[in-house]
Amino acid sequence: MASEKENHVVNGEDEEEEEKMEQFFALLRNFREARNRRKHELIQREQEEKSKKKKKNKTSKLGDDGEKSSWVPSFEWEDFTAEIEFRRPSIIFPPSFNNKQEKKQEDDGLDLNLTLSPASS
């Protein structure tokens, strides 16, 4: 009988250890599942944000942000034919540039103006 009691105690301990191990592995499975779910959620959220940014970039490149501009430019023919008066002289061709060109032409003694003259034979 003593051996039966010992077997029962050993079997009881084994059952308790098996239950504990099952609980432990169940916890590990649950943890892994939760981690994987969270990872997939983050990946989906990141992909959604990227797609939103792409859509936003496409619309901003087109100039349509969902808001219409209150100012619409309009031009008249006179805008392009009127004389333009600058506040300051042009920096692109300063006055000294024109003078240098004229002096250079005089120094060379060549007339570089292109003219059509009748052909002499």
Side-chain angles (χ1 to χ4, degrees):
M1 279 217 162
S3 63
E4 287 180 18
K5 286 184 181 178
E6 288 177 6
N7 283 340
H8 183 61
V9 173
V10 171
N11 288 338
E13 288 177 1
D14 285 342
E15 288 177 15
E16 286 179 22
E17 284 185 32
E18 283 184 34
E19 285 180 28
K20 287 181 181 180
M21 287 176 57
E22 285 179 23
Q23 287 178 348
F24 176 73
F25 286 115
L27 284 171
L28 285 178
R29 267 193 311 275
N30 289 340
F31 178 76
R32 287 181 186 149
E33 288 174 3
R35 182 189 63 196
N36 290 339
R37 262 187 274 130
R38 182 64 178 154
K39 185 193 295 186
H40 291 297
E41 288 174 2
L42 292 175
I43 290 171
Q44 285 177 342
R45 184 181 296 166
E46 187 176 303
Q47 289 173 347
E48 288 173 359
E49 288 176 0
K50 284 182 182 179
S51 66
K52 285 180 183 178
K53 285 181 182 179
K54 284 182 182 178
K55 287 180 183 178
K56 185 177 180 181
N57 286 340
K58 286 181 182 178
T59 57
S60 65
K61 285 180 183 176
L62 297 174
D64 183 23
D65 293 336
E67 299 175 5
K68 292 189 176 184
S69 176
S70 60
W71 179 73
V72 178
S74 63
F75 298 101
E76 300 287 329
W77 183 249
E78 293 83 26
D79 294 337
F80 302 103
T81 58
E83 281 292 321
I84 299 172
E85 293 183 24
F86 294 105
R87 294 180 188 160
R88 297 184 204 151
S90 174
I91 298 174
I92 297 173
F93 298 110
S96 61
F97 178 78
N98 291 333
N99 293 337
K100 287 180 185 177
Q101 292 289 47
E102 290 174 8
K103 287 180 183 177
K104 187 175 184 181
Q105 188 178 22
E106 290 174 4
D107 292 342
D108 292 341
L110 297 174
D111 185 15
L112 298 178
N113 291 331
L114 299 176
T115 58
L116 296 174
S117 58
S120 59
S121 23

